[in-house]
Amino acid sequence: MSYRLENPGHPGGYVRRNIVEPRNLTVMDAAGLLDVPRQTLFDFLNEEAALSPELALRIEMVFGVEMETLMEMQTQFDIADVRKRCQNLRSELAAKARSHLAASEAQETSAPPPTIIRRGHVFG
């Protein structure tokens, strides 16, 4: 069974609200615990950068949130983001496919059947 979240949250917001803020950590403190650059963590927590598998593993090791959970959040966020940004793509591709199929069918009905040429070889 498959489900689709229309507006899943970015994992950075989740980590900020549920891990960093409740522990009264600054970004600098959290970055030090995770041993990552402050700017990298800042961008992630402010939902400006995607979660990398390495950062997910570091969060799991330091704070105990399973990296699979965080990566699934990132995947759901990415899927929803692409669907929002590419809403017109489905109709454009469908129209292009219909046009191509119609042209192919028209060409098949108007063109004579291909000629089959047999070539014989004599060895001897």
Side-chain angles (χ1 to χ4, degrees):
M1 182 165 140
S2 169
Y3 64 93
R4 181 187 307 175
L5 297 175
E6 294 296 322
N7 290 310
H10 189 281
Y14 173 83
V15 170
R16 182 176 28 81
R17 287 186 304 276
N18 295 292
I19 295 172
V20 175
E21 290 174 355
R23 290 172 173 81
N24 294 318
L25 295 171
T26 65
V27 174
M28 187 68 100
D29 294 337
L33 290 170
L34 295 167
D35 196 24
V36 297
R38 184 201 62 79
Q39 189 65 47
T40 298
L41 186 61
F42 178 84
D43 291 343
F44 169 67
L45 294 176
N46 287 297
E47 303 179 12
E48 296 171 5
L51 175 66
S52 69
E54 181 181 337
L55 181 56
L57 180 61
R58 289 172 182 268
I59 292 168
E60 176 183 88
M61 292 168 64
V62 173
F63 298 113
V65 178
E66 290 188 9
M67 76 178 288
E68 289 83 0
T69 300
L70 295 171
M71 293 305 297
E72 182 61 28
M73 290 173 73
Q74 183 67 55
T75 299
Q76 292 299 320
F77 180 83
D78 291 343
I79 290 169
D81 182 53
V82 167
R83 286 188 190 280
K84 285 178 206 168
R85 287 187 293 113
C86 298
Q87 287 177 344
N88 297 331
L89 184 60
R90 181 179 304 213
S91 58
E92 290 173 17
L93 291 176
K96 187 180 271 189
R98 282 192 302 273
S99 172
H100 178 73
L101 289 174
S104 293
E105 288 174 358
Q107 184 180 12
E108 287 176 7
T109 58
S110 64
T115 305
I116 299 174
I117 300 174
R118 291 190 175 177
R119 294 185 180 170
H121 296 281
V122 177
F123 297 98

